[in-house]
Amino acid sequence: MTTATATETRSTERTLHAKTYEGSCFCGAVHFTVTGEPAAMGYCHCESCRTWSAGPVNAFTLWKPEAVRVTRGADSVGTYNKTSRSYRKWCKQCGGHLFTEHPGWGVTDVYAAVVPDFPFRPGVHVNYQETKLRMHDGLPKLKDYPKEMGGSGIAIPE
Ligand SMILES: [Zn+2]
Ligand SMILES: [Zn+2]
């Protein structure tokens, strides 16, 4: 019991010190928070990201699922999964996108664009072989995914 209490205290301290950022959908019906530090940040150029977002590239931040919490409007959150790899969440009121859960990878991709105060620091481009918008920012450009996510890990020119 003493051990359990100590563990609980430590995790409470971590929560208190961890920064929380608030995100919301286009209309504001859905609010959510992300807490702590993401596991990775960057840009994805894949066709799925482009057709889902209706944009040329998706700025992603990857979090442990428990770091992402819907704080308002949970009833308005819709889910679409074309495949079991990605459960895409959006607001049923305005259609605005929120985040995508990737159960196989054990991460949730929160779109940097919907968390305005979050300090987005991209480190990598993924699926750059499919790009429709070349970006000359000096960051590594991976052909597909990093090796640890099941990809080739091969870097290609900007
Ligand atoms: Zn909305
Ligand atoms: Zn993508």
Side-chain angles (χ1 to χ4, degrees):
M1 194 169 169
T2 312
T3 312
T5 309
T7 307
E8 204 167 283
T9 307
R10 272 199 303 276
S11 90
T12 305
E13 279 168 9
R14 251 201 318 273
T15 308
L16 288 174
H17 292 144
K19 277 201 171 158
T20 292
Y21 301 92
E22 188 166 43
S24 70
C25 65
F26 185 57
C27 76
V30 178
H31 282 241
F32 65 94
T33 55
V34 289
T35 301
E37 289 292 325
M41 297 186 249
Y43 299 100
C44 185
H45 297 252
C46 84
E47 186 183 20
S48 294
C49 282
R50 285 185 280 108
T51 51
W52 167 250
S53 69
V57 65
N58 177 41
F60 67 81
T61 66
L62 301 181
W63 302 76
K64 290 204 171 94
E66 58 268 27
V68 184
R69 213 161 60 85
V70 174
T71 52
R72 195 200 301 173
D75 291 353
S76 295
V77 176
T79 302
Y80 175 72
N81 68 300
K82 187 177 184 179
T83 72
S84 58
R85 283 164 59 121
S86 304
Y87 290 78
R88 299 167 190 279
K89 308 284 182 175
W90 82 95
C91 169
K92 293 189 228 170
Q93 309 295 322
C94 68
H97 296 172
L98 301 162
F99 47 84
T100 294
E101 293 169 355
H102 297 293
W105 288 330
V107 293
T108 298
D109 172 3
V110 177
Y111 307 125
V114 294
V115 190
D117 295 332
F118 180 75
F120 180 60
R121 290 183 300 270
V124 67
H125 291 252
V126 298
N127 294 308
Y128 201 67
Q129 66 179 345
E130 300 179 43
T131 191
K132 297 290 181 192
L133 180 66
R134 295 195 170 273
M135 295 166 79
H136 302 278
D137 57 7
L139 292 174
K141 309 286 184 303
L142 297 187
K143 181 172 176 270
D144 41 70
Y145 289 105
K147 272 199 176 126
E148 58 270 31
M149 293 180 84
S152 69
I154 294 169
I156 56 175
E158 283 195 330

